Every structure is written in structure tokens, then in C-alpha cells.
Amino acid sequence: NAGVTQTPKFQVLKTGQSMTLQCAQDMNHEYMSWYRQDPGMGLRLIHYSVGAGITDQGEVPNGYNVSRSTTEDFPLRLLSAAPSQTSVYFCASSYRAGATDTQYFGPGTRLTVL
Amino acid sequence: DQQVKQNSPSLRVQEGRISILNCDYTNSMFDYFLWYKKYPAEGPTFLISISSIKDKNEDGRFTVFLNKSAKHLSLHIVPSQPGDSAVYFCAARSTNAGKSTFGDGTTLTVKP
């Protein structure tokens, strides 16, 4: 049971490039989400999904796209990278979207945009 | 407007003593609160939670207290151990919206 996995661990992009951050979970969780963490700040929700085929925007969705074609995978796409997107990105999953459902986080992807 | 605030960016305590981490919230709709622990280069891990129908929840060395009238919660760690050194995030949810709102975190350092 690998839990929540994220690839890559580190990535450097130039302004304007696009890329996809991968996230997968093997716990058959319905709810998956993406957060970003900037230095000295908490985690801010980018996008989330309550099940395959269903996605919605979080607090800071601009510049990011997501899709959920399977229960296991929830990739995050940066359409045209900007320096303001330099951050650490965490993917999380939980059994459902209920308030008491424990979220499990991946190890994070550290992204630098030059 | 930040809905969940952790006003102390850092806290240093001696091994064996009590660590008290504080968190304030502004949204009255929040009814479930969580603490996460984060080590460097790792993702956050769930530590302990409390529902708004309770005012205290204990799990081993960790106790969370909730004061709804003050919109304040705190995490007590007794006794503190060097392995507790990490960033602690407070998070809040409302039952009808499973999304979590996080505070900025408090870095706890426990000195041997």
C-alpha cells in the first residue's frame, strides 16, 4: 500500500512552459485535492475532486487545470508557468469529502519557475 | 481575510516540558478542527481532531482543547520530545463542505 504518491519530487520550469504534476493513490479514495504551500504560509486549496469525472475549483485555481478520469489519478496541469507559481505542491486524498474523513498527503513536488 | 490564524510562527520548549500551540478561527460555520504535523521534505500527517460538540480530545501525549465562544483551539503536547520538532498546522472544516482551511503553521523546536 503506497498511499499517495507524487511525481516529480523537484521541477524547474521557465516562464511560459507547461507541465503536469502527477498524483496517484491506491486506497480507493473518492476525494482528492491539490494544495500549494508558499514559504511561511499554510496550505491553500487549488482544485479538488469528489469522484471520477467530477472536479471543482478551490481557493486559488487560476493558472491550473485538473481532470479525474480514474479514481486513482488526479493530475494537476500548469498551462503557462509563471514565477508566482513557484511553490511546494501537495496532493491529498480521503475516503470521502466528509468533515471527519482523514486526509492523507503525498510527499510534495517542489516547483521553481524562473 | 484569513479565517484560520496561528499567531505564533515558532515555539521553543525544553524536552519534558509542555508545548502549547494555539489557533484562532473566525468562521462560525466551522465545526470540525484538525491538527497536522509536518516534517521537512514530507507531506503533512494527521495528528488529532476535535468536533465542535466536544471541548477536549486526548490521544496519548496530545490533547486538543476547543473554546467555541472564543473561537480558539489549542494543542497540548506533554511531555514534549525532540522528535516532536516539526511544523504544526491547524485546520478547520464545516460539515457541509469537506474542504479544509489551514493556518500558516507553527514551527515547534524541542530542545534536548
Side-chain angles (χ1 to χ4, degrees), chain A residues 37 42 90 97-99 101 103 105-106, chain B residues 32 38 43-44 89 93 98 100 103-104:
Chain A
Q37 186 195 5
F90 292 101
D101 285 288
Q103 280 187 293
F105 284 83
Chain B
Y32 197 73
K38 185 184 177 306
F89 290 101
R93 298 179 183 169
S100 297
D104 288 345

Side-chain angles (χ1 to χ4, degrees), chain B residues 77-99:
Chain B
I77 306 173
V78 184
S80 301
Q81 299 173 353
D84 296 330
S85 297
V87 178
Y88 290 78
F89 290 101
C90 169
R93 298 179 183 169
S94 59
T95 303
N96 58 1
K99 297 175 284 184

Side-chain angles (χ1 to χ4, degrees), chain B residues 4-68:
Chain B
V4 179
K5 292 183 183 178
Q6 295 177 254
N7 290 319
S8 298
S10 62
L11 176 68
R12 294 172 67 89
V13 301
Q14 198 70 37
E15 181 178 5
R17 306 293 288 269
I18 184 171
S19 296
I20 300 176
L21 295 89
N22 294 303
C23 179
D24 297 293
Y25 63 96
T26 57
N27 190 337
S28 315
M29 298 300 294
F30 290 145
D31 56 9
Y32 197 73
F33 305 90
L34 310 96
W35 286 94
Y36 289 84
K37 179 177 178 178
K38 185 184 177 306
Y39 291 119
E42 294 183 11
T45 55
F46 169 75
L47 187 59
I48 191 170
S49 62
I50 187 167
S51 164
S52 60
I53 61 173
K54 294 186 175 182
D55 54 18
K56 177 183 174 181
N57 189 26
E58 253 181 291
D59 184 1
R61 296 186 296 113
F62 303 91
T63 303
V64 57
F65 295 92
L66 175 62
N67 182 334
K68 281 186 295 184

